[in-house]
Amino acid sequence: MKRFAVGAALLLLLSRPSWADGPADNLPDQVRRIPKLGIDVPADKRGALEQQLTALKRTIAQLQRSSDARTLALLPDVQIYDKAVGDALKYQEFFDAKEIDVAFELLKEGQQRAESLMKGDAPWTTARGLVARGYVSRIDGSVQPYGLVIPESYTFEGAHRYRLDIWFHGRGETLSELNFIQQRQRQVGTFAPADTIVLHPYGRYSNAFKFAGETDVLEALESTRRRYRIDDDRTSVRGFSMGGAACWQFAVHYADRWFAANPGAGFAETPEFLRTFQQETLDPTWYERKLWHWYDCTDWAANLHNCPTVAYSGELDSQKQAADIMQQALAQQRLDLVHIIGPQTKHAYHPESRDTVDGLLASIADRGRQRLPHEVRFTTYTLKYNHMSWVTIDAISEHWQQSRVDAKLGPSFVLARTQNVTDLTLDMPAGWAPFDSARPVELRIDGETLETFPPRSDRSWKVQLHSVAGSWQLGARPVDGLRKRHDLQGPVDDAFMDSFIFIRPTGKARHEAVEKWTAAELTRAIEHWRRHFRGEARVKDDRQISDDDIASSHLILWGDPSSNTVLSRIADKL
């Protein structure tokens, strides 16, 4: 059975804005609508758009009935145009009259792709330059767009694999799918290095690539890897402004996946950024302060030992604060941050500094990612992020307290020191174990010495261990009931990074106020989800929940849990 989680209905995080504008904006009745309500589309143009949209939907429906696997796999590349224009019409998200003309252009492009696919052709799949593509999200089944810059040197045949840079876009409160796709078909972007594919993820609108936006990046990357020859050892993360914040986030949480990180401006933590950028002093509750560990990259700075990092800031940019505070955090980890500063520059990339940054990343790319580093320094606060190179933390003593593993390889031993860790896996894939194949590997961990086995014949080596009463023992911990594990560790916000279903109760709540709250708040939550994460929320009542739903989704009970009969079915599964 796949993982599932059950959360209470009071998901107040859905009511929080993705980026506050000051203390007043923290008052629920004063929060600005993001995105703003768009303009009215003139009746004649609306009619023409709806007519062309209907024609495109009709062709898409024909394609969906195809039995050809390639056609179905490429269908999201057509559906992104349908969704972009359809949502803009449905939710009044044309923010400028010029965007209406863009909608006609996108519908034309979508229809051309659809008609080509009907004939078995897909010319955009072998196009170089700017290409918009799409995938179906596992979170909510929605089609999500992403943009690519395919270099002229790319060959569609052969074995050579290409460097890939992921570029995180900045904040854009009117960055609908419609505007994003247009940009990705017209603008190369800040960086387009030679012989490099650049991936521009949409990131579910303008949420700093958090929650569903984070999953969007990973899924867009996986879609690109399936469709193009990507060098996993020469994949980087880069971004500016809000995209710089995303870059810090991805750098510290997935440090072993990138050959380099290149954050520019943005924000790297919570309290000091808001104090500097918005003159806002926070008074958090204890649980808010604890959960800041998820956002605050300063707490994870040690992980950048595993990821070469080049930061950029404009000299006059208030968001230079992000790199400055990360520099302090890295200094505590005995790392000297390379911080390129654009002279007399505000919130922009200085041309000469941009060339300097590009040159540094090119040099790092020549070496590439270290698949099996001699030393791993790994910090986490949650099992959501539990892996670094050959080290995996399987369980920790207390969630949202710092957990750490420092491990080094010797000629015939592994030296490791842990903090707040109770279960651990050390795993080196076939061909990569650096030990003598004829000698047992000695594991020296937290002052104890354990003798393990030599590498196997394929030169792989894997050892699992767990702690009992403060003493390490070889082997995985025996299963003894429910316990937190990767992707089932909480808090409830983790549900929005994977498939989930809102469950409406069919029974009557114990209190009338809860009954009223359920209806109003669920409606608001669904609208918030759609507006901020550009998808359609899955909502069922508890009588509609199937065993497959229980096995494959995070289930979020909405309203009074006492009126949800699905709880007993979940208990039976346990």
Side-chain angles (χ1 to χ4, degrees):
M1 186 177 71
K2 294 183 180 179
R3 67 199 179 283
F4 61 88
V6 181
L10 299 175
L11 302 181
L12 298 181
L13 63 95
L14 281 172
S15 301
R16 292 178 177 270
S18 59
W19 187 314
D21 290 325
D25 198 44
N26 295 329
L27 302 175
D29 59 349
Q30 294 188 31
V31 175
R32 292 188 300 113
R33 176 190 169 101
I34 301 176
K36 66 182 181 181
L37 192 65
I39 63 173
D40 290 321
V41 179
D44 58 334
K45 293 189 176 182
R46 172 177 284 275
L49 284 172
E50 289 176 343
Q51 184 178 14
Q52 293 184 27
L53 193 60
T54 298
L56 177 56
K57 288 180 180 294
R58 188 180 302 118
T59 310
I60 288 174
Q62 289 180 268
L63 291 167
Q64 288 173 323
R65 293 191 290 269
S66 173
S67 59
D68 179 62
R70 177 173 177 270
T71 296
L72 295 175
L74 294 176
L75 191 54
D77 294 338
V78 176
Q79 292 172 302
I80 57 173
Y81 297 97
D82 170 33
K83 185 174 187 292
V85 178
D87 281 1
L89 279 172
K90 182 177 180 180
Y91 299 112
Q92 196 171 341
E93 291 184 349
F94 288 97
F95 306 108
D96 187 288
K98 296 177 182 177
E99 295 174 15
I100 299 173
D101 294 332
V102 172
F104 284 110
E105 294 175 11
L106 296 191
L107 287 176
K108 180 180 179 181
E109 176 74 18
Q111 189 65 41
Q112 288 173 345
R113 285 192 178 187
E115 291 173 359
S116 293
L117 203 52
M118 288 287 289
K119 300 173 185 176
D121 297 328
W124 65 91
T125 64
T126 55
R128 297 178 181 86
L130 303 179
V131 184
R133 305 204 65 170
Y135 75 92
V136 177
S137 171
R138 73 170 185 259
I139 296 179
D140 57 1
S142 65
V143 175
Q144 295 293 324
Y146 62 90
L148 294 169
V149 182
I150 306 299
E152 291 301 319
S153 60
Y154 187 85
T155 58
F156 289 90
E157 296 180 355
H160 177 68
R161 293 190 173 274
Y162 289 76
R163 169 183 161 185
L164 174 77
D165 287 0
I166 302 174
W167 179 262
F168 301 113
H169 64 72
R171 182 184 183 187
E173 293 185 5
T174 59
L175 192 65
S176 61
E177 287 99 323
L178 183 112
N179 288 329
F180 175 78
I181 294 172
Q182 185 208 30
Q183 287 181 10
R184 299 285 40 93
Q185 294 185 156
R186 293 188 178 183
Q187 300 174 16
V188 172
T190 304
F191 291 100
D195 303 321
T196 300
I197 295 174
V198 182
L199 165 62
H200 293 262
Y202 181 47
R204 297 289 182 125
Y205 178 56
S206 187
N207 56 59
F209 300 88
K210 302 285 199 300
F211 300 110
E214 180 174 324
T215 302
D216 183 65
V217 174
L218 299 176
E219 290 194 293
L221 173 58
E222 185 56 33
S223 177
T224 305
R225 290 179 70 251
R226 289 195 304 267
R227 292 168 159 180
Y228 299 87
R229 296 191 310 280
I230 302 304
D231 188 342
D232 290 335
D233 291 331
R234 293 193 300 141
T235 298
S236 74
V237 282
R238 312 179 73 172
F240 185 76
S241 193
M242 185 187 78
C247 187
W248 284 118
Q249 181 89 347
F250 275 80
V252 300
H253 287 98
Y254 301 99
D256 60 333
R257 296 193 61 165
W258 325 119
F259 79 81
N262 171 214
F267 54 91
E269 45 69 57
T270 308
E272 293 303 320
F273 171 77
L274 289 177
R275 185 177 294 116
T276 300
F277 191 66
Q278 296 187 171
Q279 295 77 53
E280 182 175 0
T281 300
L282 303 181
D283 182 23
T285 62
W286 67 267
Y287 53 85
E288 286 177 313
R289 186 177 297 279
K290 188 176 289 287
L291 291 178
W292 278 353
H293 290 307
W294 191 81
Y295 284 88
D296 290 355
C297 299
T298 47
D299 296 340
W300 307 66
N303 293 344
L304 294 185
H305 278 283
N306 307 288
C307 181
T309 303
V310 177
Y312 167 80
S313 305
E315 183 182 12
L316 307 180
D317 189 356
S318 62
Q319 291 187 30
K320 177 176 175 288
Q321 179 269 347
D324 288 342
I325 202 164
M326 285 301 295
Q327 191 162 26
Q328 296 171 23
L330 286 167
Q332 295 177 9
Q333 303 299 327
R334 298 183 180 179
L335 272 175
D336 183 14
L337 178 66
V338 174
H339 186 189
I340 307 302
I341 300 176
Q344 295 298 303
T345 302
K346 293 185 178 180
H347 197 59
Y349 246 104
H350 184 272
E352 292 180 6
S353 300
R354 182 175 56 212
D355 293 342
T356 300
V357 168
D358 227 12
L360 291 172
L361 259 70
S363 178
I364 302 170
D366 285 342
R367 177 180 176 89
R369 176 182 64 140
Q370 296 186 58
R371 292 192 192 181
L372 193 83
H374 173 76
E375 181 175 0
V376 170
R377 300 185 186 181
F378 180 28
T379 292
T380 188
Y381 288 80
T382 166
L383 290 177
K384 180 64 180 176
Y385 307 101
N386 73 327
H387 178 80
M388 186 71 69
S389 189
W390 45 275
V391 174
T392 300
I393 298 175
D394 298 307
I396 58 183
S397 298
E398 184 176 354
H399 268 67
W400 300 105
Q401 295 292 331
Q402 187 184 68
S403 304
R404 181 153 179 167
V405 176
D406 293 315
K408 293 182 179 180
L409 299 178
S412 60
F413 65 87
V414 176
L415 179 63
R417 184 175 67 252
T418 73
Q419 172 187 324
N420 196 37
V421 175
T422 63
D423 297 60
L424 193 63
T425 298
L426 308 178
D427 188 4
M428 300 174 191
W432 285 89
F435 312 117
D436 185 339
S437 61
R439 298 175 57 186
V441 178
E442 194 174 79
L443 176 57
R444 306 169 187 171
I445 179 168
D446 295 336
E448 301 179 59
T449 300
L450 305 174
E451 187 174 279
T452 74
F453 34 80
R456 303 188 70 187
S457 62
D458 62 356
R459 298 302 182 270
S460 65
W461 182 78
K462 178 178 179 179
V463 62
Q464 292 178 285
L465 54 158
H466 63 282
S467 177
V468 177
S471 179
W472 287 101
Q473 298 184 12
L474 292 176
R477 186 181 301 275
V479 177
D480 55 357
L482 291 176
R483 61 190 180 99
K484 292 178 182 286
R485 60 184 184 271
H486 176 61
D487 279 345
L488 184 55
Q489 73 286 310
V492 70
D493 49 296
D494 182 56
F496 302 114
M497 297 176 71
D498 210 326
S499 177
F500 70 94
I501 302 172
F502 288 112
I503 306 174
R504 276 188 303 238
T506 50
K508 187 172 180 61
R510 292 176 179 175
H511 196 285
E512 182 181 357
V514 174
E515 195 85 30
K516 293 180 178 179
W517 178 89
T518 298
E521 204 65 16
L522 178 58
T523 299
R524 190 158 71 100
I526 292 171
E527 172 59 20
H528 187 102
W529 171 262
R530 192 214 64 77
R531 191 184 299 169
H532 288 272
F533 295 112
R534 321 305 293 182
E536 296 298 330
R538 293 170 172 167
V539 184
K540 295 184 178 181
D541 67 44
D542 55 11
R543 293 171 300 193
Q544 296 174 310
I545 298 299
S546 67
D547 287 347
D548 286 342
D549 292 328
I550 293 175
S552 63
S553 300
H554 295 269
L555 304 178
I556 302 170
L557 306 183
W558 200 266
D560 188 348
S562 67
S563 67
N564 284 277
T565 58
V566 74
L567 277 174
S568 61
R569 293 175 57 196
I570 292 173
D572 290 341
K573 289 290 181 182
L574 297 179

